[in-house]
Amino acid sequence: MSKTFRRVSRSASIASRLARLERLLAPPEPEVPDDEQIADEEWLSHFRLYHQKGYFRNEPDFPQALHEYEQAMERARESGTWLPPSTFMPHETEIRRRRFWRIHGKHREVQQALAWLIGMYCRVSDGIPAVTLSEWEFLTGWFHRHSESDLRQMLEEVAPRQSLDSLRTELKDRDGRSHDAATYAAILRQLYAEAHRMGNVHESIPAQVTSAITTTPDRFAEPSESISIDKR
């Protein structure tokens, strides 16, 4: 399991939402007795179904995130180490064998792609605006070009408990695919809007910023259709 995914699991608030997600996603097969037993093939099948049902229509980058997950899994299959050997946990269920075979850092690219999808799920389920890659690049680009004195002044207005130095550090370690990108995008949007209010930004606020502030995504709902799982 990647460091990114372990950080997701360590967060109490994220962990509680993931527990809810796994309850929703547990495949309706008799062999699955608890929420833990879901591996990448099951995640992919459920996210495909949710995409078809339109639950992520307010996440513009969801198709790309899903495609990246599919492609990462395809490359993992081609590596020859995707499925566990018959000697690995032979008395466990198929799902648990796949899950635990991949849990120790194997196929990092797959876990990173899954983390992006899970971040989107958390936003939709909590009614948090989407964060697109293009908006992230716009906001962080503006942030890094802006003067430090102005940023400190504006940060005092919009997020007085957030220091500029720590915000710079946090942004350095993240991008638009990070599971907690929405937290930092919210601060950046407020900073940009404050700069516009102060007259430090002379152009109109881009639609990609204003739409994220004013749009509330539809709440996530559990689909009732049966799910076909690709276990290649």
Side-chain angles (χ1 to χ4, degrees):
M1 183 181 290
S2 70
K3 290 182 180 179
T4 299
F5 196 73
R6 286 199 295 271
R7 285 198 298 270
V8 175
S9 300
R10 283 198 295 267
S11 169
S13 61
I14 296 295
S16 64
R17 291 197 293 267
L18 289 179
R20 176 170 176 259
L21 175 58
E22 290 195 340
R23 286 195 296 272
L24 289 174
L25 296 188
E29 300 178 5
E31 68 175 5
V32 182
D34 59 58
D35 298 337
E36 283 189 356
Q37 300 193 47
I38 181 169
D40 291 286
E41 292 84 355
E42 289 74 32
W43 287 105
L44 179 58
S45 296
H46 281 83
F47 278 121
R48 281 172 171 169
L49 177 59
Y50 296 150
H51 180 40
Q52 293 169 4
K53 295 292 291 183
Y55 296 137
F56 291 94
R57 57 183 170 271
N58 288 317
E59 283 282 351
D61 285 349
F62 183 82
Q64 179 179 344
L66 184 62
H67 178 70
E68 289 186 11
Y69 190 41
E70 292 169 335
Q71 292 299 302
M73 287 180 61
E74 193 60 39
R75 287 188 288 271
R77 290 189 184 102
E78 294 171 355
S79 71
T81 60
W82 181 238
L83 296 176
S86 59
T87 55
F88 179 78
M89 299 176 66
H91 302 296
E92 284 290 354
T93 63
E94 177 193 352
I95 292 176
R96 285 180 66 83
R97 290 180 66 248
R98 285 186 276 116
R99 181 185 176 99
F100 285 100
W101 174 249
R102 301 164 187 164
I103 205 169
H104 296 295
K106 293 182 176 69
H107 308 295
R108 178 181 176 85
E109 184 184 13
V110 175
Q111 296 305 321
Q112 289 176 327
L114 176 59
W116 189 16
L117 287 169
I118 288 175
M120 290 185 178
Y121 165 79
C122 291
R123 292 198 292 263
V124 172
S125 64
D126 292 346
I128 296 172
V131 181
T132 65
L133 296 180
S134 61
E135 183 193 7
W136 181 267
E137 289 301 316
F138 172 84
L139 289 171
T140 55
W142 168 83
F143 176 85
H144 291 305
R145 291 191 305 269
H146 214 71
S147 70
E148 184 165 329
S149 59
D150 283 345
L151 287 174
R152 290 188 185 279
Q153 179 182 352
M154 292 184 295
L155 199 57
E156 280 292 319
E157 293 294 326
V158 304
R161 295 184 180 181
Q162 174 73 62
S163 76
L164 181 59
D165 292 338
S166 66
L167 180 57
R168 287 191 187 280
T169 300
E170 296 293 344
L171 292 177
K172 182 179 179 181
D173 294 336
R174 287 167 174 78
D175 64 16
R177 292 177 173 81
S178 300
H179 72 275
D180 56 357
T183 299
Y184 297 95
I187 296 174
L188 294 174
R189 289 172 189 137
Q190 292 178 66
L191 284 173
Y192 188 85
E194 180 67 11
H196 193 274
R197 186 189 67 80
M198 293 172 60
N200 294 333
V201 175
H202 301 291
E203 70 273 18
S204 300
I205 300 178
Q208 60 189 1
V209 177
T210 56
S211 63
I213 295 173
T214 59
T215 301
T216 300
D218 293 341
R219 303 294 289 185
F220 189 88
E222 180 181 3
S224 58
E225 283 80 351
S226 60
I227 297 169
S228 174
I229 297 172
D230 182 355
K231 299 179 181 178
R232 288 182 291 162

